[in-house]
Amino acid sequence: MDTEQFRQVIRQGFDEASEGYDKPAMRFFDHGAQQLVEQLSLLGHEKVLDAATGTGKVAIELAKRLPNGRVSACDLSVGMLKKALENASQAEQSNIEFICSDVNDIHLGPGSFEGLVSGFGVFFWEDMAHTLNQLLSFVKPGGFFAMTSFADGSFKPLSDLCLSRFESYGVKLPDSYTWERLDNTEKHADLMKQVGLGRVESQKRQVGYFLKDAQEWWDLVNYTGFRSFLNQLSDADKIRFKAEHLQEIADQSTAEGIFLNVEVISTTAYKE
């Protein structure tokens, strides 16, 4: 798969997922955005670039803390940006500029921003160090970079049940998954070293919660990367898969619900 094909697959996947990306089952995105922004020392006047903004979770959290600043938020998915615009309007945040562009194609002035952020986006970049270096050229000396990713073990055991069920239906699973590229603090530190950033600080936080029922887990399957595996099934097999899988998920239920295990790693670093 060449670079353009890779981007097209990512774009199509997020366009399809955008419809349900803000469902309650995926509220770990809200928690992650809050964790990322809380780690920053903002004065309120900064201009910040949000790369791979998705439905605008991080951009909106930033905008609330930048009454005299501005956020430029980019994403390659039209579907995601449509949801981001709706979310910003509902949050009454007008100091956000949304840009539809692949992060590798965006052209902004050198040193235009005091900071760069990306919530759960960096591990999707084909060449993480190259793309990050390119984006950092838009950040002033002394400016910050902040990102989040999922820690190793997140979504388990529910994700293991899901993937095993897909395998039983003959779905070919990849040898590794994109989120595993940044699933511990050592991998974060290594990437920061590759791009020459200093004063690196990482935090890992459990942000998991109880899903009210198996259907909420299905929302996560249907509107995240699992959907690509679901799309490989025939219509008849999708119906059968859903019934079987939701039963095994329901079997994980306790009096409080079904626990969704999500650990978020947030890292800040500075351009020397």
Side-chain angles (χ1 to χ4, degrees), residues 84-105:
L85 283 163
E86 293 172 1
N87 290 339
S89 177
Q90 291 173 5
E92 298 183 339
Q93 296 299 320
S94 58
N95 55 337
I96 307 174
E97 170 194 21
F98 290 104
I99 305 166
C100 187
S101 174
D102 184 280
V103 290
N104 294 284
D105 298 330

Side-chain angles (χ1 to χ4, degrees), residues 1-268:
M1 184 183 298
D2 64 27
T3 298
E4 188 50 44
Q5 288 174 320
F6 176 80
R7 293 183 189 179
Q8 183 57 37
V9 167
I10 297 294
R11 183 182 297 112
Q12 182 178 347
F14 280 110
D15 280 344
E16 291 176 353
S18 62
E19 178 188 349
Y21 219 61
D22 290 339
K23 284 184 174 288
M26 274 81 83
R27 55 189 180 274
F28 52 79
F29 287 126
D30 299 272
H31 299 321
Q34 293 164 9
Q35 180 176 334
L36 186 154
V37 175
E38 286 170 3
Q39 202 167 334
L40 299 173
S41 298
L42 298 170
L43 299 176
H45 64 264
E46 292 90 344
K47 293 180 180 178
V48 181
L49 174 62
D50 179 14
T53 192
T55 60
K57 302 290 189 181
V58 173
I60 292 168
E61 283 299 316
L62 277 169
K64 292 175 182 176
R65 292 165 171 79
L66 298 174
N68 300 308
R70 189 162 185 82
V71 181
S72 294
C74 75
D75 202 279
L76 82 171
S77 166
V78 174
M80 286 290 183
L81 286 178
K82 181 180 178 182
K83 292 293 293 184
L85 283 163
E86 293 172 1
N87 290 339
S89 177
Q90 291 173 5
E92 298 183 339
Q93 296 299 320
S94 58
N95 55 337
I96 307 174
E97 170 194 21
F98 290 104
I99 305 166
C100 187
S101 174
D102 184 280
V103 290
N104 294 284
D105 298 330
I106 195 166
H107 298 290
L108 300 164
S112 300
F113 300 92
E114 279 77 31
L116 165 69
V117 299
S118 186
F120 305 110
V122 177
F123 49 70
F124 286 111
W125 301 346
E126 190 172 15
D127 186 333
M128 295 188 294
H130 173 80
T131 298
L132 183 53
N133 257 325
Q134 181 176 311
L135 293 172
L136 285 168
S137 70
F138 308 136
V139 178
K140 296 176 180 178
F144 63 82
F145 169 62
M147 69 174 179
T148 52
S149 68
F150 300 112
D152 181 34
S154 289
F155 306 105
K156 295 182 178 182
L158 305 186
S159 60
D160 285 343
L161 290 171
C162 186
L163 294 171
S164 294
R165 182 66 58 177
F166 277 126
E167 278 193 307
S168 75
Y169 274 75
V171 173
K172 182 172 175 54
L173 302 178
D175 295 329
S176 61
Y177 300 93
T178 53
W179 58 83
E180 294 176 341
R181 302 169 74 196
L182 289 169
D183 63 0
N184 60 50
T185 56
E186 290 77 14
K187 292 176 182 178
H188 278 227
D190 182 62
L191 179 60
M192 298 305 98
K193 183 178 180 180
Q194 287 181 57
V195 297
L197 296 180
R199 290 187 285 157
V200 180
E201 180 181 336
S202 296
Q203 299 178 3
K204 186 166 70 170
R205 187 183 301 177
Q206 174 61 252
V207 301
Y209 42 84
F210 286 94
L211 303 174
K212 65 180 181 180
D213 54 29
Q215 181 57 50
E216 279 205 331
W217 168 255
W218 186 252
D219 287 339
L220 193 149
V221 172
N222 203 28
Y223 294 111
T224 63
F226 292 113
R227 184 173 182 144
S228 63
F229 306 135
L230 193 62
N231 287 343
Q232 296 179 43
L233 302 179
S234 68
D235 290 342
D237 277 350
K238 284 179 184 177
I239 294 171
R240 191 159 57 93
F241 175 92
K242 181 177 180 180
E244 293 171 354
H245 180 51
L246 291 194
Q247 182 56 60
E248 64 186 348
I249 295 298
D251 290 342
Q252 303 295 310
S253 185
T254 67
E256 296 174 278
I258 302 166
F259 187 67
L260 183 65
N261 170 38
V262 185
E263 280 193 292
V264 173
I265 304 170
S266 56
T267 291
T268 56

